[in-house]
Amino acid sequence: MSLFSPSDLSRVKFRRLPDLKVCTEPCKIKDIIMMSPDSLLLSNGTKDSIQQVDSRTGSTLSEVSTKPYYPWGICMLGRELAAVAGSNKVKLVHVRGGRLTLGTVLDVKADCWCVAGSGDNVVVSYNSPPWLEVMDTDGRVLHQYQDPGAAPTFKSPDFLTTSSDGFHYVTDFKLYTITKLDSSLKVLQTFSGPQLRSPKGISSDGDGQLLVCSWSNNSIVHVNVNSGKMTTILGEDDGIVKPRSLAYCPQQHKLFVCPDNETDIIQVYQID
């Protein structure tokens, strides 16, 4: 399902709704994703936990501790399994009967930052040194990408997403780029522009559309990957400050944005 309909962004209007208060105290929310039209999954770096919250009220529906592992990026692998990156581990979280339970913990080679689902597999980003891997849920590495020469594709690969047509998109916080890769991590295309300053969270669909958090620009940017056109759709005047992560719900026509500071809220925007 497309991120926006109609595709003409000049006709898309955003209306800010009341924020979701998702914690009882300020916390470091590292990533948010849609788990279902009615719920969000978030990684709480202050409590070292994964929370499932109601997407309309912000109330916690279920929570599981990841201690002693610090949670960063999070993704869904189908409807009943999530993966969480951080602390040299990828942790699998089961989602069954409205409850979260910690599953297998996969060892990885370095401190991993973010993850994306790719069918039954997990795409993992690393920062030092910068590289990417695709692994299965038993921890076997299926594909790997490392820069081959002096002109690096990545300096700080951060957030990533997999579109419904199987392509991976990776934001680079230091190079101000988005890189498109195929399922075997072959680089296909790189997007850059003044709108992408320190890009972080990213969401995609199968129709060539991306939404990206432009952290230094205090904005949310729409990218048409077919044309390369970038459009700032939300900015400081809309309350966007240092956006870290985002999630789009097509069923509710809502955009959820997580600021990059110690806060207990997620911002909500209705797309009319």
Side-chain angles (χ1 to χ4, degrees):
M1 185 178 294
S2 296
L3 289 169
F4 293 118
S5 181
S7 58
D8 180 4
L9 290 181
S10 66
R11 297 170 59 190
V12 176
K13 305 300 180 184
F14 295 87
R15 175 166 44 92
R16 186 170 180 179
L17 301 180
D19 297 335
L20 292 181
K21 184 177 176 62
V22 296
C23 301
T24 57
E25 58 187 16
C27 65
K28 295 179 180 178
I29 302 174
K30 293 302 181 181
D31 199 7
I32 56 172
I33 58 170
M34 296 303 306
M35 199 180 89
S36 72
D38 300 318
S39 63
L40 288 155
L41 211 57
L42 64 90
S43 55
N44 187 327
T46 300
K47 296 177 66 177
D48 292 347
S49 70
I50 303 301
Q51 289 175 246
Q52 179 190 0
V53 302
D54 189 296
S55 63
R56 292 179 172 85
T57 66
S59 60
T60 298
L61 302 174
S62 183
E63 185 172 10
V64 63
S65 173
T66 62
K67 291 180 179 179
Y69 311 119
Y70 187 87
W72 284 80
I74 187 169
C75 72
M76 293 298 298
L77 303 173
R79 293 185 178 182
E80 295 190 336
L81 190 65
V84 186
S87 303
N88 296 75
K89 308 288 181 182
V90 171
K91 298 157 286 294
L92 302 182
V93 177
H94 296 286
V95 184
R96 293 173 182 155
R99 291 181 56 83
L100 306 178
T101 56
L102 193 62
T104 305
V105 179
L106 309 177
D107 290 317
V108 293
K109 298 174 183 177
D111 194 14
C112 51
W113 283 32
C114 285
V115 286
S118 180
D120 295 328
N121 301 321
V122 187
V123 191
V124 187
S125 68
Y126 303 86
N127 187 259
S128 183
W131 88 89
L132 306 169
E133 286 181 334
V134 178
M135 64 177 59
D136 64 20
T137 53
D138 292 320
R140 291 187 294 262
V141 175
L142 307 176
H143 304 286
Q144 191 175 73
Y145 178 83
Q146 289 181 281
D147 280 319
T153 301
F154 301 108
K155 281 190 176 180
S156 181
D158 202 344
F159 285 79
L160 61 159
T161 188
T162 302
S163 62
S164 59
D165 53 3
F167 295 109
H168 310 309
Y169 295 89
V170 184
T171 60
D172 193 290
F173 188 74
K174 293 181 179 178
L175 289 180
Y176 297 1
T177 58
I178 300 169
T179 298
K180 178 181 180 180
L181 306 96
D182 67 11
S183 58
S184 61
L185 298 184
K186 177 183 177 181
V187 173
L188 301 177
Q189 194 174 3
T190 297
F191 305 90
S192 62
Q195 295 95 332
L196 293 181
R197 294 184 63 233
S198 307
K200 280 188 169 287
I202 184 170
S203 180
S204 68
D205 70 357
D207 293 326
Q209 299 186 70
L210 303 173
L211 289 178
V212 187
C213 294
S214 185
W215 189 86
S216 290
N217 276 345
N218 297 323
S219 64
I220 305 298
V221 178
H222 175 274
V223 181
N224 185 318
V225 299
N226 297 316
S227 66
K229 182 179 179 181
M230 300 183 189
T231 306
T232 297
I233 58 173
L234 290 169
E236 289 185 77
D237 291 345
D238 304 294
I240 302 295
V241 178
K242 297 292 186 289
R244 176 180 178 85
S245 179
L246 55 79
Y248 174 68
C249 180
Q251 292 86 353
Q252 295 187 48
H253 301 290
K254 289 180 181 178
L255 180 63
F256 301 87
V257 180
C258 176
D260 191 10
N261 53 27
E262 290 201 28
T263 180
D264 57 0
I265 63 97
I266 292 175
Q267 297 168 309
V268 186
Y269 296 86
Q270 183 73 57
I271 302 171
D272 295 325

